[in-house]
Amino acid sequence: MRSLFLVAGFFFAGLGFVGMFVPLMPTTIFLVLSLFCFGRSSPYWENRLLANPLLGDALKNWQEHKSISRKHKILAIFTLWISLGISMICLSELWLRMLLFVLGMFLTLYLLTLRTYRETMNVPKESLGTRK
C-alpha cells in the first residue's frame, strides 16, 4: 500500500507542477493530495515538499491550520488573472473569452473565501488572553 501512495504522491506532485503553468489547472489541490500521499508512504518526500522554498510555507499552513496566507492568496489571484488574460488574448471566440472570465471570477471568489492564515495561529491559546 505504501508503494501505491508513493506513486500517487509523485503523480499528484507532477500535476501540481504542471498546474503552475497551465491556466485553470489547479496547483494547490494536487500538491495537498501529494502531501497527503507522501505522509502515508514516505516521510522523506513529505519533508522535501514541506521544505520547498517556493511551496513549503503554503503547504505547512494548509496542513496545520487549513488556511492560506494573505500573500499566497494575492499571488494565486494575480497569477490566475495573468494566465487567464494571456489565454483570452490568444482566443478568437468571444464565448470562450467570456467562459474564462466567468470561471476566473468563480475561482477568485473561492480563493477569497478561504480562511486566511494569521501569525497568531501559531501562538498557544493560553497566551492570547493574557497581558504582561
Side-chain angles (χ1 to χ4, degrees), residues 47-64:
N47 290 332
R48 288 278 310 257
L49 199 53
L50 289 171
N52 182 291
L54 213 64
L55 309 166
D57 288 341
L59 290 172
K60 284 178 202 168
N61 290 343
W62 184 259
Q63 188 180 46
E64 295 171 8

Side-chain angles (χ1 to χ4, degrees), residues 2-3 11 25 27 33 52 54 62 87 98 120 127 129-130:
R2 282 185 67 191
S3 299
F11 175 73
M25 184 170 173
T27 299
L33 285 169
N52 182 291
L54 213 64
W62 184 259
S87 298
M98 296 300 289
T120 56
S127 65
T130 60

